[in-house]
Amino acid sequence: MKKVKKAIFPVGGMGTRFLPATKAMPKEMLPVIDKPLIQYAVEEALDAGIEELIFITGRGKTAIEDHFDYSVELESMLAARGNARFIDEINKLILPVGRVYYVRQQKPLGLGHAVWCARNLIGDEPFAVILADDLIFGQNCLKELISACDNGNVVAVMRVDPEQVDKYGILDIDACSSNIVKAKGVVEKPKVGTAPSNVAVIGRYVLYPEVFRHLENVNTGINGEIQLTDAINSMTPTTSLHGVFFSGTRFDCGTKEGMVQSTIYGALNRKELADSTLSYMESVMKTETK
Ligand code: UTP
């Protein structure tokens, strides 16, 4: 496999599950403790060796561009107050000029459509797709994908409760080794009881550029959206598909439960917050169980 140098961050969705919080603010800017989801995703990509970042944005998403740009007023205010630590912190966020692109997805027609919007920026090389609302702590999931498998399409996977398969893309398994599965296909949100397995795809992909041709030809799928899963599935006769069981701790921050749990997990794993969070939780438990 050629080196994976480009990553697509689809951030054009409506985030309806978080309304009213997402009425005027992108879902991907919701914070877990002190960092927005999109920043965790960008840090994972840069740490995995990604050199060019492509954001697929939409209406109301300009806060994402601002987040990764200079904030002259903020910087001079912090300088005037002698707060050098925060200046370093915010300047680390500035993405390299000429290596970051923002493409407007004019209508939120689905994840597959969002990825397709980047077709002219990718060229003839494999690329990554990262969904910021799948937050993974611990190990760098994209790095694991890139190093686990050097051909064909590769997706991050985990086993889910068979009652939950209708929330995910589910692999049709061909063969399984310790942490990698080879798949015959993938089906988007199958009805409970009809899924080919319980191995679910989560929001990290390394894909071959042929996927763009398939995205042009797939019909709208579940929810009337153009599904990335359908395009990946239609490639399987000619392009292999592997799933990698990632080793980090993943939270579905597209849901309220996932946001709450990731915040608690994040706090318990931060030195300066762990003790106070734990003692607060203990006191709540005591009160609740009285
Ligand atoms: P979701 O399926 O979570 O949809 O998208 P959503 O619109 O963000 O949220 P809900 O369901 O209304 O609450 C998964 C990822 O794909 C992006 C989203 O921004 C999110 O990062 N996406 C989705 C797009 O970029 N464009 C789309 O048309 C749809």
Side-chain angles (χ1 to χ4, degrees):
M1 190 190 262
K2 287 186 200 164
K3 193 172 181 296
V4 181
K5 290 184 294 195
K6 297 182 182 179
I8 300 175
F9 300 86
V11 292
M14 304 283 284
T16 48
R17 284 171 288 175
F18 275 98
L19 283 169
T22 48
K23 185 177 174 216
M25 181 175 77
K27 173 176 81 171
E28 299 77 10
M29 286 299 292
L30 292 174
V32 171
I33 311 202
D34 53 4
K35 267 191 225 179
L37 293 171
I38 191 66
Q39 189 181 333
Y40 289 99
V42 163
E43 286 174 356
E44 180 181 329
L46 295 174
D47 181 55
I50 295 296
E51 295 168 8
E52 294 185 39
L53 304 99
I54 303 163
F55 295 85
I56 311 300
T57 72
R59 262 180 295 286
K61 300 279 181 167
T62 47
I64 295 174
E65 291 176 50
D66 293 339
H67 186 70
F68 293 110
D69 199 355
Y70 285 100
S71 172
V72 179
E73 278 172 16
L74 179 62
E75 206 176 315
S76 43
M77 192 262 288
L78 290 169
R81 292 181 183 179
N83 206 332
R85 185 173 77 80
F86 279 121
I87 296 179
D88 288 348
E89 200 65 36
I90 60 163
N91 282 345
K92 271 196 274 178
L93 298 176
I94 295 159
L95 294 177
V97 68
R99 292 191 174 179
V100 52
Y101 313 95
Y102 294 92
V103 178
R104 189 99 162 193
Q105 184 190 21
Q106 290 143 336
K107 290 182 186 168
L109 298 177
L111 176 59
H113 180 261
V115 169
W116 178 77
C117 290
R119 66 198 179 284
N120 290 332
L121 294 171
I122 292 294
D124 183 26
E125 54 192 297
F127 62 95
V129 177
I130 302 188
L131 305 190
D133 47 10
D134 269 326
L135 175 58
I136 301 171
F137 284 122
Q139 296 297 320
N140 185 318
C141 181
L142 181 60
K143 217 186 236 179
E144 287 182 316
L145 250 57
I146 292 171
S147 57
C149 189
D150 63 0
N151 64 70
N153 291 330
V154 189
V155 294
V157 293
M158 62 179 204
R159 289 200 185 273
V160 296
D161 180 337
E163 298 297 313
Q164 300 285 318
V165 289
D166 57 353
K167 296 185 172 60
Y168 297 89
I170 300 290
L171 293 189
D172 187 359
I173 306 295
D174 190 14
C176 197
S177 68
S178 59
N179 71 331
I180 300 185
V181 289
K182 188 173 184 323
K184 288 184 275 197
V186 55
V187 49
E188 182 66 17
K189 300 187 174 68
K191 287 205 172 75
V192 173
T194 67
S197 76
N198 69 339
V199 178
V201 178
I202 62 111
R204 302 289 183 278
Y205 309 74
V206 175
L207 301 175
Y208 270 64
E210 287 77 24
V211 74
F212 294 118
R213 196 163 40 79
H214 290 259
L215 281 168
E216 258 157 46
N217 295 326
V218 291
N219 295 320
T220 51
I222 293 272
N223 301 334
E225 295 183 338
I226 297 178
Q227 298 290 347
L228 183 58
T229 306
D230 294 342
I232 296 172
N233 185 55
S234 73
M235 289 171 76
T236 50
T238 51
T239 307
S240 64
L241 172 61
H242 289 91
V244 175
F245 289 99
F246 59 97
S247 51
T249 304
R250 174 255 182 189
F251 296 93
D252 180 359
C253 290
T255 68
K256 291 171 198 169
E257 295 82 352
M259 272 307 260
V260 172
Q261 289 163 11
S262 63
T263 302
I264 295 171
Y265 182 95
L268 291 174
N269 282 280
R270 289 264 287 258
K271 237 192 316 186
E272 75 279 19
L273 294 173
D275 289 347
S276 59
T277 307
L278 195 58
S279 62
Y280 175 67
M281 285 168 66
E282 281 166 355
S283 75
V284 171
M285 293 291 285
K286 271 187 207 145
T287 325
E288 293 296 315
T289 50
K290 260 183 197 159

